[in-house]
Amino acid sequence: MARPSNKERKTSIMKQALELFSKEGFYSTTMPQIAKKVGMSVGNFYNYFNSKETLAKELIRYISGILGEEMRTINESKANYKDKIHAVVTMYFEMATKRPEMIQYFLRVYLSNREVFEDGCEGMVCVSDFVTEIMIFFEEGVRCGELRDQDFYSAFGLFMGYLGGMAFLNGEKILPHALKSYRDSIAMNIYNALRTYP
Amino acid sequence: MARPSNKERKTSIMKQALELFSKEGFYSTTMPQIAKKVGMSVGNFYNYFNSKETLAKELIRYISGILGEEMRTINESKANYKDKIHAVVTMYFEMATKRPEMIQYFLRVYLSNREVFEDGCEGMVCVSDFVTEIMIFFEEGVRCGELRDQDFYSAFGLFMGYLGGMAFLNGEKILPHALKSYRDSIAMNIYNALRTYP
Amino acid sequence: MARPSNKERKTSIMKQALELFSKEGFYSTTMPQIAKKVGMSVGNFYNYFNSKETLAKELIRYISGILGEEMRTINESKANYKDKIHAVVTMYFEMATKRPEMIQYFLRVYLSNREVFEDGCEGMVCVSDFVTEIMIFFEEGVRCGELRDQDFYSAFGLFMGYLGGMAFLNGEKILPHALKSYRDSIAMNIYNALRTYP
Amino acid sequence: MARPSNKERKTSIMKQALELFSKEGFYSTTMPQIAKKVGMSVGNFYNYFNSKETLAKELIRYISGILGEEMRTINESKANYKDKIHAVVTMYFEMATKRPEMIQYFLRVYLSNREVFEDGCEGMVCVSDFVTEIMIFFEEGVRCGELRDQDFYSAFGLFMGYLGGMAFLNGEKILPHALKSYRDSIAMNIYNALRTYP
DNA sequence: GATGAATGAGCTTTCATTCAT
DNA sequence: AATGAATGAAAGCTCATTCAT
């Protein structure tokens, strides 16, 4: 049987670590835990990543890339902004449901342990793939007259805070219904908040 | 001079610990650090709290109580909901500016280190003071016809996610302007999202 | 029975560590080894010293102080330089015999692992107590006409290299006779090397 | 092009390792570092040397051989002992200047990490090439009446300790002047120490 | 109530050496 | 002869908690 390539091994580590980090948090996840889950020795882990922190940073870049791509697809579609907002909510909730570790990592590791990302991920440099697409989303919406012209962060905070908050409540099993059942009303709320009024 | 009472001592510990936890995070704050800041021995600390976790749990209840009181004041006012929402945003941003440790603790400790609050703070039991007032806020708004009737969590997530997100961006110094300059547009966004339309 | 004071505990650690370091070397001596020898836990060690390196640096200062005091006594004596040189050799060899860990530490740890002493012990700052007395020794000898006027390091290297070399050979059990049996001839060699000739 | 022979490969390893060991010390030099510098895999290294320690031992024998040869040339010359001593000092200081890794290895690795050389290099068996020539040097000097008859180690310690000490001070950049500027006065000191007096 | 020295399990990381290829 | 991923024991150090005083 073929030995897994260097790249496959890295990917495998990232996958397993992502699950642990997102579930247990950065500090409560230990190196032996990660190594065991990947099925390798602790020592060997360090042939692939220089440190626990390096791994954490690669992970957030990886996630940002995937979310960014999803946003780009939406940005490139021809729909009106009511539908586009609905598409974003749908995409985000599907992520949070099917690959919850991504969203949870974002919330529980990246946003929560800032000190880990201090060197090399200052400001938003490690999530720029994603944030850039969000920026394009708003600018385009304002340009074509469907969204009210307002400070970017005011809109960004609404989107990300709202969706993140719902994903959090879902992850904590606080929501009484399935996440996707909130989709339509949340998309409407966001649209009402951001749309232009005649 | 009177010796500080047991209760005063506890309050003093909580105040100092809150500052440390909110700034450094739960795991990066050590017991000796807390003891030193309070001006007491580590050993004596354990006469007031059974563990670091116990302290963390008491803190979130304490904060929930204070935020709950602020919400109650707003709930008891006679204003219309456009103004009430504005009042909530104002209150929250003032908290985040004048007593940032409270909001930061909520975001950086309570929301981020779920494992710490697993036993004894399941679901929302340790933040019920606050959440209950938010519930009253919405129910009353719906009852009097000013807010659209929708699932509580759908509205709750908007409020808390949005405001929390802005406080986070502010704390991370990512916002280009002062937090309070976003107040009006954010209040408007929230109102537009939740109001009834004729 | 009285509990040992903080200072006594530090001294005890230094004594035991000195023995280990001088016998095994800096890197081959482990923290658990030191702790065990002192009869304390590893963790408790760090209540007394910030790190293994800190301990190493305090040790060389301590040794330099003791050797410096011995040299000062000789410097303050009224003898001629032939006798003074003899006194230095005697003192050094007695040290190397009765408290070999001091001389061995100097040779095997301080001189050999320069990287450990890089920060805080640059050049000779941690052995200045001793080196200063050696300087005084030579300067005074030259001033009163008994020693030839030459570059300090040329004389210093002779003294320290020679005596250190003999202590090393003794420690390695390479010398066929007891160290002190070499005393007179070595003192004579040094005197002949440094004295003035009419 | 011819593949490098087994012997050439060994020599290449020794050369590169010597540089690393002498600069970084035995423990701070890692096997991957050596392998990389040689341009071979770590695994292949072990086809040439059984262990890091084996390599270290072969190195000291190699150095002893080279220094021994230099001493033999001096031993075979016809000069008087004042000049011969001068020649030894000159040779040693040139070594220390032009091939510092040899002298530094001797001082920083061989003399400092005795535990590494415990098995197989007891006493002076791995430096016998060199020590033997030094012995011949003294015995011949005594035989022809130019050097005082004294215990070998008393003379040996003077020579090696003095020269080694100066090389050390030079390596540590403690000497205010270039090493060779000390040559004449040091040669004179040694000669005065060892010569016969009428 | 008050102290802080003491504990010891646990952390991340390192590294000489091995071995399937 | 050559590779380098893999091993795993051991390193230095941290820290919540305890307990004799």
Side-chain angles (χ1 to χ4, degrees):
Chain A
M1 199 173 80
R3 180 116 79 86
S5 75
N6 185 305
K7 200 167 181 178
E8 283 166 340
R9 214 77 158 104
K10 268 194 94 159
T11 308
S12 161
I13 295 173
M14 287 176 74
K15 259 184 176 165
Q16 308 298 332
L18 183 53
E19 275 190 28
L20 284 170
F21 281 149
S22 63
K23 239 178 255 158
E24 318 277 343
F26 181 77
Y27 291 112
S28 300
T29 302
T30 70
M31 297 313 303
Q33 249 181 312
I34 295 175
K36 194 178 176 186
K37 198 155 196 281
V38 182
M40 85 191 335
S41 67
V42 210
N44 198 19
F45 167 87
Y46 285 88
N47 288 327
Y48 295 90
F49 295 92
N50 290 326
S51 68
K52 199 184 177 186
E53 285 202 358
T54 305
L55 170 59
K57 285 170 200 163
E58 286 215 28
L59 277 173
I60 192 60
R61 272 188 232 105
Y62 168 73
I63 290 170
S64 162
I66 288 178
L67 292 176
E69 257 181 65
E70 297 281 348
M71 277 303 299
R72 184 156 56 248
T73 308
I74 294 172
N75 278 337
E76 285 165 354
S77 74
K78 296 282 172 221
N80 61 41
Y81 264 78
K82 188 169 186 183
D83 291 347
K84 277 191 172 183
I85 284 171
H86 195 276
V88 173
V89 177
T90 303
M91 179 274 284
Y92 195 94
F93 282 5
E94 270 188 7
M95 275 288 177
T97 305
K98 294 185 187 150
R99 305 174 74 174
E101 64 282 2
M102 292 220 175
I103 305 295
Q104 292 295 327
Y105 185 88
F106 197 89
L107 299 172
R108 293 210 43 195
V109 179
Y110 177 66
L111 295 184
S112 302
N113 305 111
R114 304 306 296 139
E115 66 282 5
V116 174
F117 299 88
E118 240 166 26
D119 290 353
C121 287
E122 296 85 358
M124 294 187 148
V125 310
C126 288
V127 290
S128 61
D129 278 6
F130 178 52
V131 175
T132 303
E133 294 298 329
I134 297 273
M135 276 178 157
I136 292 170
F137 182 88
F138 286 121
E139 277 165 17
E140 179 67 15
V142 170
R143 209 192 45 73
C144 71
E146 292 190 64
L147 301 188
R148 214 168 75 245
D149 190 7
Q150 61 177 297
D151 186 286
F152 168 68
Y153 289 99
S154 183
F156 179 72
L158 169 63
F159 239 116
M160 294 293 88
Y162 198 174
L163 296 180
M166 293 309 293
F168 174 81
L169 292 171
N170 184 56
E172 291 302 310
K173 309 199 189 309
I174 287 172
L175 292 185
H177 309 297
L179 189 54
K180 72 174 171 190
S181 74
Y182 294 88
R183 190 189 52 199
D184 295 347
S185 73
I186 284 172
M188 186 203 286
N189 287 344
I190 294 176
Y191 180 64
N192 282 340
L194 300 181
R195 63 173 287 213
T196 45
Y197 288 90
Chain B
M1 203 172 83
R3 182 116 82 86
S5 73
N6 186 306
K7 197 165 186 183
E8 282 167 341
R9 215 78 157 105
K10 273 193 90 161
T11 309
S12 163
I13 294 173
M14 288 176 71
K15 258 184 178 164
Q16 307 299 332
L18 181 55
E19 277 192 26
L20 286 170
F21 281 148
S22 63
K23 241 180 252 157
E24 316 280 343
F26 180 77
Y27 290 111
S28 300
T29 302
T30 68
M31 296 312 300
Q33 246 181 311
I34 295 174
K36 194 181 176 186
K37 203 158 192 280
V38 182
M40 85 188 340
S41 68
V42 259
N44 198 16
F45 168 90
Y46 285 87
N47 288 324
Y48 296 93
F49 295 92
N50 288 328
S51 68
K52 199 184 179 187
E53 286 201 358
T54 306
L55 170 60
K57 286 169 201 163
E58 288 217 25
L59 274 173
I60 193 58
R61 273 188 230 106
Y62 168 74
I63 289 170
S64 164
I66 288 179
L67 291 176
E69 259 181 63
E70 297 280 347
M71 276 303 299
R72 184 156 58 248
T73 308
I74 294 172
N75 277 338
E76 286 165 354
S77 74
K78 296 286 170 216
N80 61 40
Y81 265 78
K82 186 170 189 183
D83 291 348
K84 277 193 172 182
I85 285 172
H86 194 277
V88 173
V89 177
T90 303
M91 179 273 284
Y92 194 94
F93 283 4
E94 269 188 9
M95 274 289 180
T97 306
K98 293 185 186 152
R99 305 175 74 175
E101 63 281 4
M102 294 226 173
I103 305 297
Q104 290 297 326
Y105 185 89
F106 196 90
L107 299 171
R108 292 208 47 191
V109 180
Y110 177 66
L111 296 184
S112 303
N113 306 115
R114 303 308 299 138
E115 65 283 5
V116 174
F117 298 90
E118 241 165 28
D119 292 351
C121 287
E122 297 85 357
M124 293 187 150
V125 309
C126 288
V127 290
S128 60
D129 279 5
F130 179 53
V131 174
T132 303
E133 294 299 328
I134 298 269
M135 276 178 156
I136 293 170
F137 182 88
F138 286 121
E139 278 166 15
E140 178 67 14
V142 170
R143 210 192 42 74
C144 72
E146 291 190 63
L147 301 187
R148 215 169 72 243
D149 190 8
Q150 60 178 299
D151 185 284
F152 167 66
Y153 289 100
S154 183
F156 178 72
L158 169 64
F159 239 118
M160 292 295 86
Y162 197 173
L163 296 180
M166 294 308 293
F168 173 79
L169 293 171
N170 184 55
E172 289 301 310
K173 306 196 191 312
I174 287 171
L175 292 185
H177 308 298
L179 189 55
K180 73 173 170 189
S181 75
Y182 293 89
R183 190 190 50 199
D184 296 347
S185 73
I186 284 171
M188 187 202 285
N189 286 342
I190 295 176
Y191 181 64
N192 282 339
L194 300 182
R195 63 174 286 210
T196 45
Y197 287 91
Chain C
M1 200 173 82
R3 181 116 79 87
S5 74
N6 185 305
K7 200 166 181 181
E8 282 166 340
R9 214 75 160 106
K10 267 194 95 160
T11 309
S12 162
I13 295 173
M14 287 176 72
K15 258 184 177 164
Q16 308 296 333
L18 183 53
E19 275 191 28
L20 284 170
F21 281 148
S22 62
K23 240 178 254 160
E24 317 276 344
F26 181 77
Y27 290 111
S28 301
T29 302
T30 70
M31 297 313 304
Q33 249 182 311
I34 295 175
K36 193 179 177 186
K37 198 156 197 278
V38 182
M40 85 190 339
S41 66
V42 207
N44 198 19
F45 168 88
Y46 285 88
N47 288 327
Y48 295 92
F49 295 92
N50 289 328
S51 68
K52 199 183 177 187
E53 285 201 358
T54 305
L55 169 60
K57 286 171 201 164
E58 285 216 29
L59 277 173
I60 192 60
R61 272 188 232 105
Y62 167 73
I63 290 170
S64 162
I66 288 178
L67 292 176
E69 257 181 66
E70 298 280 348
M71 277 302 300
R72 183 155 59 249
T73 308
I74 295 173
N75 277 338
E76 284 165 355
S77 74
K78 296 283 172 218
N80 61 41
Y81 265 78
K82 186 169 188 183
D83 291 347
K84 279 192 172 183
I85 284 172
H86 195 276
V88 172
V89 177
T90 303
M91 178 274 283
Y92 195 93
F93 283 5
E94 270 187 7
M95 274 288 178
T97 306
K98 293 184 188 152
R99 307 174 73 175
E101 64 282 2
M102 292 221 174
I103 304 295
Q104 291 296 328
Y105 185 88
F106 197 91
L107 298 172
R108 294 210 43 195
V109 179
Y110 178 67
L111 295 184
S112 303
N113 305 111
R114 303 307 295 138
E115 66 282 5
V116 174
F117 299 89
E118 240 165 27
D119 290 352
C121 288
E122 297 86 358
M124 294 187 149
V125 310
C126 288
V127 291
S128 61
D129 279 5
F130 178 52
V131 174
T132 303
E133 293 299 329
I134 299 272
M135 275 178 157
I136 292 170
F137 182 88
F138 285 121
E139 276 165 18
E140 178 66 15
V142 170
R143 210 192 43 73
C144 72
E146 290 190 66
L147 302 187
R148 215 167 75 243
D149 190 8
Q150 61 177 297
D151 185 286
F152 168 68
Y153 289 99
S154 183
F156 179 73
L158 169 63
F159 238 116
M160 293 294 87
Y162 197 173
L163 297 180
M166 294 307 294
F168 174 80
L169 293 171
N170 184 55
E172 291 301 310
K173 307 199 189 313
I174 287 171
L175 292 185
H177 309 297
L179 189 55
K180 73 174 171 189
S181 74
Y182 293 89
R183 190 189 53 199
D184 295 347
S185 73
I186 284 171
M188 186 202 285
N189 286 344
I190 294 176
Y191 180 65
N192 282 339
L194 299 181
R195 63 174 286 212
T196 45
Y197 288 90
Chain D
M1 202 172 83
R3 182 117 80 87
S5 73
N6 185 305
K7 197 166 184 181
E8 282 167 340
R9 214 73 157 109
K10 273 193 88 160
T11 309
S12 163
I13 294 173
M14 288 176 71
K15 258 183 177 165
Q16 307 298 333
L18 181 55
E19 277 191 27
L20 285 170
F21 282 148
S22 63
K23 240 179 253 158
E24 316 280 343
F26 181 76
Y27 290 110
S28 300
T29 302
T30 68
M31 297 312 301
Q33 245 182 312
I34 295 174
K36 193 180 176 188
K37 203 157 193 279
V38 182
M40 86 189 339
S41 68
V42 260
N44 198 16
F45 168 89
Y46 285 88
N47 288 324
Y48 296 92
F49 295 92
N50 289 327
S51 69
K52 199 184 180 187
E53 285 202 359
T54 305
L55 170 59
K57 286 170 201 163
E58 287 216 26
L59 274 173
I60 192 59
R61 273 188 230 105
Y62 167 74
I63 290 170
S64 164
I66 289 178
L67 291 176
E69 259 181 61
E70 296 280 347
M71 276 303 298
R72 182 155 61 248
T73 308
I74 293 172
N75 277 338
E76 285 166 354
S77 75
K78 296 286 171 214
N80 62 40
Y81 266 78
K82 186 169 190 183
D83 291 347
K84 278 191 171 182
I85 284 173
H86 195 275
V88 173
V89 176
T90 302
M91 179 273 284
Y92 194 94
F93 282 6
E94 271 188 6
M95 273 289 179
T97 306
K98 293 184 186 151
R99 305 175 72 174
E101 63 281 4
M102 294 224 173
I103 305 296
Q104 290 297 326
Y105 185 88
F106 195 90
L107 298 172
R108 292 208 48 191
V109 179
Y110 177 67
L111 296 184
S112 303
N113 306 114
R114 303 307 298 139
E115 65 282 4
V116 174
F117 299 89
E118 241 165 27
D119 292 351
C121 286
E122 297 86 357
M124 293 188 150
V125 310
C126 288
V127 290
S128 61
D129 278 7
F130 178 52
V131 175
T132 303
E133 292 299 328
I134 298 270
M135 275 177 157
I136 293 170
F137 182 88
F138 285 122
E139 277 166 16
E140 178 66 16
V142 170
R143 208 192 45 71
C144 72
E146 290 190 66
L147 301 187
R148 214 168 74 244
D149 190 8
Q150 60 178 298
D151 185 284
F152 167 67
Y153 289 100
S154 184
F156 179 73
L158 169 63
F159 239 118
M160 293 296 87
Y162 198 173
L163 297 180
M166 294 308 293
F168 172 81
L169 292 171
N170 184 55
E172 290 302 308
K173 304 197 191 313
I174 287 171
L175 291 186
H177 309 296
L179 189 55
K180 73 174 171 189
S181 74
Y182 293 90
R183 190 191 52 200
D184 295 347
S185 72
I186 284 171
M188 187 203 284
N189 286 342
I190 295 176
Y191 180 65
N192 282 339
L194 300 181
R195 63 175 285 213
T196 45
Y197 287 91

